[in-house]
Amino acid sequence: MSSKRVERLEVGKHSQNTLDNLLHEERIHAPSGEFAAQANATSELYAQADADREAFWADQARHLHWDTEWEQVLDWSGAPFAKWFVGGKLNVAYNCVDRHVEAGNGDRVAIHWEGEPGDSRAITYAELAREVSRTANALASLGVGAGDRVAIYLPMLPEAVYSMLACARLGALHSVVFGGFSSEALRTRINDAQAKVVITADGQYRRGKAMPLKTNVDEAVAATPSVEHVLVVQRTKTDVEWNDGRDQWWHDVVEGRPASHTPEFFDSEHPLFILYTSGTTGRPKGILHTSGGYLTQAAYTHRTVFDLKPETDVYWCTADIGWVTGHTYIVYGPLANGATQVIYEGTPNTPHEGRHWDIVQKYGVTLYYTAPTTIRTFMKWGAEIPARYDLSTLRVLGSVGEPINPEAWMWYREHIGGNRAPIVDTWWQTETGAIMISPLPGVTATKPGSAQVPLPGIAAKVVDESGEQVGHGGGGLLVLDQPWPAMLRGIWGDDDRYRETYWSKFADKGYYFAGDGAKYDDDGDIWLLGRVDDVMNVSGHRISTTEVESALVSHPTVAEAAVVGASDPTTGQGIVAFVILRGGADDQASGEAAIKALRDHVAHEIGPIAKPRQIMVVPELPKTRSGKIMRRLLRDVAENREIGDVSTLADSSVMNLISAGFATSS
Ligand code: 6R9
């Protein structure tokens, strides 16, 4: 370890230049000796994996229960379609539930479920086994069998977990559709997968109000010939329309079923689920995942990256089950490891902005996993809110979903982690199935803003356009140059699109192209720079939107920033920034002088080349329901175009506010 890798905590000691900072970040936090001494991960894991990758993954797979052992670890002869643990047989649901009960841990709480209105339920592994069995028996009675598809359109209820695991138990594929998606989005997904059954709820709680949900399903299934049954969980007691031949209440169909079910063991490559993600075209891609390799990497990463101790930890991932993070780090990883976790139904400011910290205090949460956008929202609300709660149980903090700017990282460390809990910035995708690049707590000296190193057993590189690896300090594209167990096995029904999207750019090298820009710093650590379509080119200089956003957010008046490259007759692209100011800062900061101060600040942080052409103060940013900023829409505003499709925004009215304000300011 280099002498630079020492604990330095001076938050104010921000280097002069953000770009430089990304390459020479000096606020490095070495793991404490105390943490390292008890950590699940050790630095030897890297050497073990390097010495024999397949033997390493076989060791990880042995943490699961296999009914039949595999004959071959990896068959890559049909690349880019991988087969892992060939010939092995397992049941994913048995691994996540029954085996913990059989090992004598039936009384351990699997799920502390916390409803938004304040109701709560503690579900032990023994109860989970009964509920999953009942649900599997019920689905089987509706004709669901191995290979069938079931669409799940539910809020964050325990029934969502039961449904997913019941499908896995029967060998049926679930396709979870986020409960915030429209009926149109639901219909497209149901039809693409030809789902036989849809599981939904009468309504869902959102920001303190009961909102209808089944109405969307009614609209969607009006044109989905494959759907035979709609199963409805009663959550809000909202009035619903009823289609007698098709609709059934969950409590009528599931509750009376036998609480035991004998699992069948499926091939390691048996499909487990489809999860739709947006691509560069309008048509969503159904990402296909299979059983043995996926569960192996889900469990391994959850155990090592979060340092899970199933007997003592209380883990909480704040994602929605409708996203891949909810699949791998609420359902499959934690349950395969026998963890105790919190699942929270609602929004972070219901009924007040301290709700998350209230939950951490109530359950003694030790491991907390969230997204940078949530952290920046907490920053906006103010550090005095978490300060009112006892957060001393927290011992590992995770981040996922987008690059985390160093300011948000430092705030997270200080105000949530008490300058004590290591932060793991985890890079991965729906397609990768599980975490790929991340520090290991207790092993890696962390740097704010960098995901740093591929996990043991994972291979990733930063390459130039021709596929050559760039040197330290160099930037380019992120590729994955070796197959990994949780990798997608294709796009549902579209093998050509799978090859074209991920494997054609570096076909001669056989690299998986992730679509993300990245660079190495001087230590060889990886920094993710956002999607490559978010990289701007200003006067021939490559500038990442993330770098400019980081610079803006490092100014004391700025809470959140989104930056786009707008076409510019002189420079190719010009930088346009949209900023949300911190509470109380609006009065002093919205004027001309304040905007000039921000432009100068960016010039000071990165260099004059990165000075935004235009900065606009906005009340909100356009975000998808998973919290990703939709830069495409901001580019439409910045380039004075008609605004494109806003149907995937969490709140589509945001765009009206922004474009009206932009018209008056420019
Ligand atoms: C897990 C998830 C994947 C895209 C990915 C990248 C971005 C995710 C990140 C990150 C920088 C991280 N991303 N984690 N960028 N640092 N730690 O989010 O999956 O919804 O498929 O998004 O998210 O751009 O390509 P998904």
Side-chain angles (χ1 to χ4, degrees):
M1 204 174 284
S2 81
S3 61
K4 258 174 74 187
R5 300 196 164 206
V6 289
E7 183 96 0
R8 289 179 51 182
L9 293 172
E10 302 101 305
V11 182
K13 215 174 167 212
H14 192 183
S15 114
Q16 301 246 330
N17 179 312
T18 301
L19 182 59
D20 195 47
N21 210 2
L22 288 179
L23 291 171
H24 313 281
E25 176 61 59
E26 288 189 342
R27 294 172 294 185
I28 289 167
H29 304 94
S32 75
E34 205 186 330
F35 194 104
Q38 59 82 62
N40 291 347
T42 59
S43 58
E44 282 80 68
L45 283 181
Y46 295 99
Q48 275 170 30
D50 284 348
D52 188 340
R53 281 182 85 245
E54 292 189 13
F56 174 83
W57 282 116
D59 284 346
Q60 304 314 320
R62 282 190 197 99
H63 284 262
L64 303 178
H65 169 88
W66 295 80
D67 181 63
T68 309
E69 166 120 8
W70 55 89
E71 288 144 18
Q72 191 185 355
V73 174
L74 169 66
D75 176 2
W76 192 226
S77 62
F81 297 89
K83 291 189 177 139
W84 280 86
F85 309 112
V86 184
K89 281 186 192 293
L90 79 171
N91 185 290
V92 169
Y94 174 85
N95 269 283
C96 292
V97 185
D98 312 49
R99 72 175 170 133
H100 305 311
V101 180
E102 288 167 18
N105 295 317
D107 291 340
R108 182 186 298 161
V109 172
I111 298 169
H112 286 294
W113 180 79
E114 173 90 3
E116 196 186 76
D119 48 338
S120 63
R121 279 148 80 178
I123 301 147
T124 63
Y125 274 95
E127 272 177 84
L128 185 62
R130 290 193 288 270
E131 294 299 341
V132 172
S133 293
R134 284 194 185 101
T135 312
N137 285 322
L139 289 178
S141 77
L142 298 178
V144 174
D148 287 338
R149 277 81 60 203
V150 174
I152 299 176
Y153 185 67
L154 278 172
M156 292 291 284
L157 300 176
E159 286 80 359
V161 180
Y162 307 157
S163 300
M164 290 166 77
L165 290 172
C167 288
R169 196 172 186 96
L170 296 170
L173 291 76
H174 53 72
S175 162
V176 182
V177 179
F178 176 55
F181 271 133
S182 65
S183 56
E184 183 53 37
L186 175 61
R187 170 167 38 216
T188 324
R189 287 160 175 76
I190 291 174
N191 281 337
D192 188 73
Q194 294 286 294
K196 218 170 171 174
V197 172
V198 182
I199 307 179
T200 189
D202 53 349
Q204 61 180 333
Y205 288 107
R206 232 45 212 157
R207 296 177 211 285
K209 283 205 278 289
M211 310 290 284
L213 188 66
K214 183 176 181 285
T215 43
N216 284 349
V217 176
D218 294 338
E219 279 173 36
V221 300
T224 55
S226 61
V227 173
E228 295 168 14
H229 303 281
V230 174
L231 200 51
V232 188
V233 177
Q234 192 170 46
R235 171 59 181 146
T236 53
K237 304 221 160 80
T238 306
D239 280 340
V240 289
E241 290 195 14
W242 209 250
N243 178 324
D244 276 332
R246 187 195 68 195
D247 300 346
Q248 310 202 46
W249 285 110
W250 175 282
H251 49 260
D252 289 340
V253 179
V254 178
E255 279 170 19
R257 297 281 155 188
S260 68
H261 175 272
T262 310
E264 186 184 333
F265 294 96
F266 295 100
D267 194 88
S268 175
E269 282 301 329
H270 189 80
L272 181 62
F273 65 84
I274 305 169
L275 182 59
Y276 288 85
T277 180
S278 47
T280 47
T281 71
R283 209 161 48 89
K285 301 175 281 194
I287 303 300
L288 176 67
H289 283 286
T290 62
S291 304
Y294 170 80
L295 196 64
T296 295
Q297 194 177 331
Y300 155 70
T301 51
H302 184 255
R303 186 167 61 241
T304 51
V305 174
F306 297 100
D307 193 49
L308 177 80
K309 308 286 193 281
E311 300 79 16
T312 48
D313 275 317
V314 179
Y315 164 83
W316 181 20
C317 167
T318 72
D320 191 281
I321 248 158
W323 309 115
V324 73
T325 305
H327 283 56
T328 309
Y329 297 107
I330 294 178
V331 180
Y332 293 110
L335 296 178
N337 288 335
T340 295
Q341 70 176 316
V342 171
I343 295 183
Y344 170 54
E345 179 184 34
T347 41
N349 52 351
T350 308
H352 55 78
E353 292 170 347
R355 185 68 188 269
H356 274 212
W357 317 125
D358 198 23
I359 292 174
V360 168
Q361 182 175 283
K362 174 173 174 187
Y363 295 103
V365 172
T366 56
L367 316 172
Y368 176 81
Y369 192 26
T370 196
T373 182
T374 314
I375 299 165
R376 290 193 299 263
T377 303
F378 293 142
M379 289 173 77
K380 198 163 62 182
W381 293 342
E384 63 283 4
I385 293 172
R388 291 185 203 127
Y389 298 86
D390 177 7
L391 306 182
S392 63
T393 49
L394 289 170
R395 61 180 205 91
V396 179
L397 302 178
S399 173
V400 61
E402 53 175 321
I404 177 165
N405 49 296
E407 265 42 57
W409 196 104
M410 291 302 295
W411 190 93
Y412 196 25
R413 180 174 164 93
E414 184 181 343
H415 297 288
I416 307 303
N419 283 324
R420 169 195 75 246
I423 295 178
V424 288
D425 175 6
T426 63
W427 179 90
W428 59 295
Q429 307 176 299
T430 305
E431 292 87 341
T432 69
I435 298 171
M436 303 293 280
I437 305 177
S438 170
L440 284 177
V443 176
T444 318
T446 56
K447 289 178 189 170
S450 171
Q452 299 190 290
V453 276
L455 291 179
I458 297 300
K461 273 187 195 169
V462 182
V463 300
D464 63 19
E465 280 289 332
S466 62
E468 292 307 316
Q469 186 166 11
V470 302
H472 287 191
L477 302 170
L478 184 75
V479 297
L480 304 170
D481 55 326
Q482 296 283 342
W484 63 101
M487 71 192 292
L488 74 168
R489 301 301 198 267
I491 295 177
W492 183 254
D494 201 342
D495 288 353
D496 289 343
R497 192 174 179 196
Y498 170 60
R499 286 198 193 85
E500 168 60 31
T501 309
Y502 305 106
W503 302 93
S504 64
K505 189 164 176 69
F506 299 109
D508 52 330
K509 308 250 181 203
Y511 293 166
Y512 168 92
F513 172 52
D516 278 19
K519 61 184 169 190
Y520 290 120
D521 65 15
D522 291 344
D523 300 325
D525 279 328
I526 297 174
W527 293 71
L528 278 311
L529 299 177
R531 302 293 302 180
V532 277
D533 33 12
D534 294 336
V535 176
M536 300 172 290
N537 191 325
V538 183
S539 304
H541 298 272
R542 214 194 252 194
I543 300 170
S544 152
T545 51
T546 309
E547 287 168 340
V548 181
E549 286 165 6
S550 272
L552 284 166
V553 176
S554 74
H555 193 274
T557 60
V558 177
E560 192 157 3
V563 166
V564 296
S567 62
D568 185 284
T570 325
T571 57
Q573 279 188 312
I575 301 173
V576 179
F578 297 80
V579 298
I580 304 180
L581 298 176
R582 282 191 195 222
D586 302 61
D587 308 340
Q588 343 119 33
S590 47
E592 295 262 334
I595 292 200
K596 182 178 179 303
L598 285 183
R599 296 181 72 231
D600 290 346
H601 177 70
V602 175
H604 182 256
E605 290 284 303
I606 306 177
I609 180 71
K611 206 168 180 168
R613 186 178 80 184
Q614 215 166 351
I615 295 182
M616 196 193 155
V617 176
V618 293
E620 276 304 333
L621 290 169
K623 285 183 188 157
T624 63
R625 296 175 177 95
S626 65
K628 289 200 171 64
I629 294 169
M630 291 197 73
R631 291 198 178 69
R632 172 171 66 76
L633 297 176
L634 293 175
R635 262 194 304 272
D636 290 346
V637 174
E639 300 186 344
N640 290 314
R641 262 197 309 271
E642 206 186 320
I643 293 165
D645 180 14
V646 296
S647 67
T648 55
L649 281 183
D651 176 4
S652 55
S653 65
V654 165
M655 284 317 295
N656 298 337
L657 288 174
I658 295 176
S659 49
F662 196 82
T664 50
S665 81
S666 54

